[in-house]
Amino acid sequence: MKLCVIGTGYVGLVGAAVFADWGNEVIGVDIDEAKIKKIERGIMPIYEPGLSDLVLLNVKQKRLSFTTNLKKGIQGAEIVFICVGTPQSKSGSADLSQVWQVSENIGKFMTDKIYKVIVTKSTVPVGTNEKVKQILKKFAPKSAKFDVASNPEFLREGCSVKDMQKTERTVVGTETERAMKVMRKFYEHLNMPIVECDLRSSEMIKYASNAFLATKISFINEMAQLCEKAGADVVKVAEGMGLDSRIGSKFLNAGIGYGGACFPKDVSALRRTSLDFAYDFALLQGVMRVNDVQKHYFANKIYEEFGGENLSGLTFACLGLAFKGDTDDTRESVAIKIIHLLRGRGAQVRVYDPEAMENAKRELGTSSVFFAKDKYEVLKGADAMLILTEWGEFKDMDLTKVKKLLKKPLIFDGRNLLDKKVVEANGFKYLAIGRKTGSQKQKAPDFRAAIL
Ligand code: UGA
């Protein structure tokens, strides 16, 4: 099929490459000329395993090309995917200005006679596709034949190519059987059931999924705080809970809170949507509040350990800057937020991340942060080691070497990444999230206070 993919961010670029690899003829469109030129040369604007090879292969085989010319991009296309950004606006809702602008341009340039399905893949609130249709109708020539469809993506950064190639689910919302037939034809080779629904339900599925996963994380993070007070171990609690197939073990890793370009903005946008419909989705307020508190709970452990709020004269070795492992993305990274908190109290930081150093330099500046070349150099002379991102390579640190490099054998593990028994057996003081460690004293519960 002939396709046009508008936007070359995580969703658009990965989508364009994978759709071309499926044998389609794909044109990727972006307004950023420099970015397009780099992509054509195999220089990806994002770090995603397998992406560069897939792009180059499909460009070479002439199934994939890129342009800044939207008119050229949509000529002859049977499906046009809108994959532009929908960042958080000041009010907490999604900023849809790029979606509106692209819809207007698609309408203006829809001059050929080919029936098109205009598909929104960007994460957009309920009702957006109906407005996209209105805009298209307003700007398209009367002769243009088209329908709109909602087809949200569920890919995760760091494994988006794999997620797109072998999706667990496909959701398509349309208003017409004609559009649904085109979408069925596009996805039929995956041999997977498609959740076929109306536009609004499809839009809602995306937000409901992200909000639910964020709720799972906030639940286990709050559980971690309770476990710590009560002398239980949240890792064991999560393991026990996760074995119940109704609960599942995924997204039950307690940590410093969720970050990234999706969960924070999508939970906030869904809450805004609920208010727009005069419904107070109160649970989401709690999910956001817990997430906000979680980084302070972790930072407090550090303040307490060093006897107060003034951290001047201390140096921390921070392992991890990306919002999660396997990505270079530092957007809404809790690791960066924690570093700001520590520096705000006078601490010096040495930092290292396997992929996110360049992005972090933009956020942290380079004047008073030491950017180390590896996971050991970062430790030299630091008062403690902090694990802030769940990178696999931090799991198997050589603890003898770590001990030699640090001033004190002290580890704060914000992702519960290390094996506490091994760490403690190696003579470290180990402070983690919601875990009963040898270093933490539990207070006897004051039942009298609870009754009163
Ligand atoms: C998320 C969803 O998982 C995807 O399905 C969705 O398509 C995507 O958003 C999107 O809307 O585009 P992503 O933001 O790449 O994907 O990252 P996740 O792997 O979901 O992690 C989000 C955050 O939660 C990270 O900061 C991670 O460290 C944190 N997390 C995750 C935890 O703290 N604990 C967990 O158990 C899992």
Side-chain angles (χ1 to χ4, degrees), residues 91-220:
S91 70
S93 61
D95 173 356
L96 297 171
S97 50
Q98 295 180 56
V99 176
W100 306 146
Q101 187 57 58
V102 161
S103 306
E104 185 179 321
N105 291 340
I106 296 172
K108 281 182 189 158
F109 298 140
M110 234 184 330
T111 48
D112 58 3
K113 296 278 172 293
I114 292 169
Y115 167 75
K116 299 184 193 313
V117 186
I118 314 300
V119 180
T120 307
K121 264 208 169 291
S122 306
T123 300
V124 292
V126 72
T128 303
N129 276 280
E130 289 161 21
K131 197 160 169 207
V132 166
K133 188 172 112 183
Q134 282 169 15
I135 296 174
L136 289 166
K137 273 200 161 157
K138 185 171 164 195
F139 289 96
K142 287 276 165 297
S143 58
K145 292 185 201 73
F146 69 89
D147 276 306
V148 294
S150 160
N151 175 213
E153 55 72 28
F154 301 98
L155 53 84
R156 296 158 299 168
E157 287 186 22
C159 46
S160 58
V161 173
K162 274 196 202 139
D163 279 356
M164 190 72 98
Q165 280 167 330
K166 252 188 159 302
T167 179
E168 270 185 341
R169 61 186 148 157
T170 302
V171 175
V172 179
T174 59
E175 288 178 321
T176 66
E177 180 54 24
R178 187 176 185 188
M180 192 59 90
K181 261 192 189 154
V182 172
M183 297 307 286
R184 270 188 218 124
K185 185 177 151 204
F186 177 62
Y187 282 117
E188 72 185 350
H189 68 102
L190 291 176
N191 273 327
M192 297 271 275
I194 297 177
V195 179
E196 297 184 3
C197 56
D198 58 278
L199 293 172
R200 287 186 172 228
S201 303
S202 172
E203 291 163 339
M204 204 60 115
I205 287 169
K206 168 68 190 195
Y207 279 97
S209 302
N210 275 3
F212 187 77
L213 291 172
T215 304
K216 247 184 137 177
I217 298 170
S218 278
F219 178 89
I220 203 66

Side-chain angles (χ1 to χ4, degrees), residues 123 153-157 169 206 210 213 217 221 250-255 257-263 266 323-324 390 415:
T123 300
E153 55 72 28
F154 301 98
L155 53 84
R156 296 158 299 168
E157 287 186 22
R169 61 186 148 157
K206 168 68 190 195
N210 275 3
L213 291 172
I217 298 170
N221 281 340
K250 290 177 182 157
F251 280 70
L252 279 184
N253 299 324
Y258 60 77
C262 304
F263 284 0
D266 291 350
F323 82 94
K324 65 169 191 178
E390 63 272 44
R415 300 290 189 165

Side-chain angles (χ1 to χ4, degrees), residues 195-374:
V195 179
E196 297 184 3
C197 56
D198 58 278
L199 293 172
R200 287 186 172 228
S201 303
S202 172
E203 291 163 339
M204 204 60 115
I205 287 169
K206 168 68 190 195
Y207 279 97
S209 302
N210 275 3
F212 187 77
L213 291 172
T215 304
K216 247 184 137 177
I217 298 170
S218 278
F219 178 89
I220 203 66
N221 281 340
E222 205 156 34
M223 205 65 221
Q225 299 215 35
L226 180 58
C227 282
E228 202 165 302
K229 289 188 190 298
D233 186 332
V234 76
V235 174
K236 283 287 152 197
V237 172
E239 186 186 328
M241 286 170 66
L243 288 171
D244 182 332
S245 60
R246 294 170 304 173
I247 298 173
S249 59
K250 290 177 182 157
F251 280 70
L252 279 184
N253 299 324
I256 51 179
Y258 60 77
C262 304
F263 284 0
K265 95 172 157 63
D266 291 350
V267 177
S268 163
L270 185 58
R271 160 103 172 136
R272 272 258 34 114
T273 299
S274 80
L275 296 174
D276 290 346
F277 286 93
Y279 178 74
D280 181 8
F281 201 146
L283 177 64
L284 296 182
Q285 187 70 0
V287 170
M288 291 189 281
R289 192 187 60 78
V290 171
N291 199 54
D292 190 38
V293 164
Q294 199 67 8
K295 59 179 171 295
H296 297 290
Y297 147 78
F298 181 71
N300 267 328
K301 282 177 186 287
I302 302 168
Y303 309 152
E304 274 174 22
E305 183 61 26
F306 289 96
E309 301 201 341
N310 185 358
L311 302 178
S312 47
L314 294 165
T315 301
F316 296 104
C318 303
L319 280 87
L321 299 163
F323 82 94
K324 65 169 191 178
D326 298 322
T327 179
D328 66 348
D329 196 344
T330 52
R331 286 175 293 173
E332 289 294 315
S333 166
V334 187
I336 301 272
K337 289 182 183 177
I338 286 171
I339 291 170
H340 282 311
L341 289 175
L342 299 177
R343 290 178 73 198
R345 294 189 181 213
Q348 297 287 318
V349 290
R350 298 169 68 83
V351 302
Y352 169 69
D353 187 285
E355 292 295 337
M357 298 292 262
E358 289 312 310
N359 285 336
K361 277 180 189 165
R362 276 193 286 277
E363 298 209 27
L364 294 170
T366 48
S367 56
S368 52
V369 175
F370 179 80
F371 287 85
K373 69 175 188 312
D374 62 43

